[in-house]
Amino acid sequence: MLEIQERFDAEGYDELKRVAGNAELHITEALDKGSVIGFIAYSYGTDKTVVYDYDDGGDMMLCDGLVRSVMLKSVLKGINHMLFELPDSSKFDVLKKLRFVVGDSRQCTDLEHFMNGCEHCKGKKE
């Protein structure tokens, strides 16, 4: 069974701690039967969440779940902007397919709207 859980330490993510600098690094991992199959590394600022890296093991739906989990937590903290500072530019291809970013942009600027994008569909039955 797939679980997405935030870690309460960044042990094993030393390079990402270095990249985050003075920001407090947060790690959310995807677990399958207790084994880590993916992660997303990020920090919260006063006006934006910065994503430093993610690993989805090539599973686009896992990427979607990891990014959305961080988006939701950001919105709950009153943060409405996400900046992706990824070391591997090919990872932006997946983010574009999932419509988290558009064109050459490296940011999603309206997280609350993005998270409520299908709200108009609720309650409609065909």
Side-chain angles (χ1 to χ4, degrees), residues 16 19-20 23 25-26 40-54 66-67 70-71 74-75 79-87 91-92 95 100-102 104-111:
L16 291 169
V19 170
L25 183 67
H26 293 265
I40 188 166
Y42 54 97
S43 65
Y44 300 112
T46 54
D47 63 342
K48 70 180 173 238
T49 297
V50 178
V51 176
Y52 301 105
D53 203 1
Y54 72 86
L66 289 166
V67 172
V70 175
M71 283 182 164
S74 297
V75 168
I79 300 170
N80 204 30
H81 182 111
M82 183 176 279
L83 176 64
F84 295 91
E85 293 185 353
L86 307 175
K91 291 184 177 185
F92 284 96
L95 297 176
F100 291 129
V101 296
V102 178
D104 291 333
S105 177
R106 297 186 177 272
Q107 56 191 328
C108 185
T109 57
D110 192 356
L111 299 183

Side-chain angles (χ1 to χ4, degrees), residues 4-62:
I4 296 180
Q5 297 180 353
E6 184 172 357
R7 289 185 56 149
F8 295 102
D9 64 53
E11 187 177 324
Y13 294 91
D14 296 332
E15 177 60 24
L16 291 169
K17 285 192 285 190
R18 187 192 63 73
V19 170
N22 292 334
E24 182 181 355
L25 183 67
H26 293 265
I27 304 290
T28 295
E29 293 178 329
L31 304 161
D32 185 20
K33 299 178 186 167
S35 297
V36 176
I37 60 169
F39 74 87
I40 188 166
Y42 54 97
S43 65
Y44 300 112
T46 54
D47 63 342
K48 70 180 173 238
T49 297
V50 178
V51 176
Y52 301 105
D53 203 1
Y54 72 86
D55 180 3
D56 60 10
D59 183 339
M60 188 164 63
M61 297 311 294
L62 182 57

Side-chain angles (χ1 to χ4, degrees), residues 107-124:
Q107 56 191 328
C108 185
T109 57
D110 192 356
L111 299 183
E112 189 170 349
H113 177 71
F114 192 91
M115 293 302 296
N116 293 324
C118 291
E119 196 168 83
H120 66 280
C121 299
K122 291 180 182 174
K124 289 187 179 180

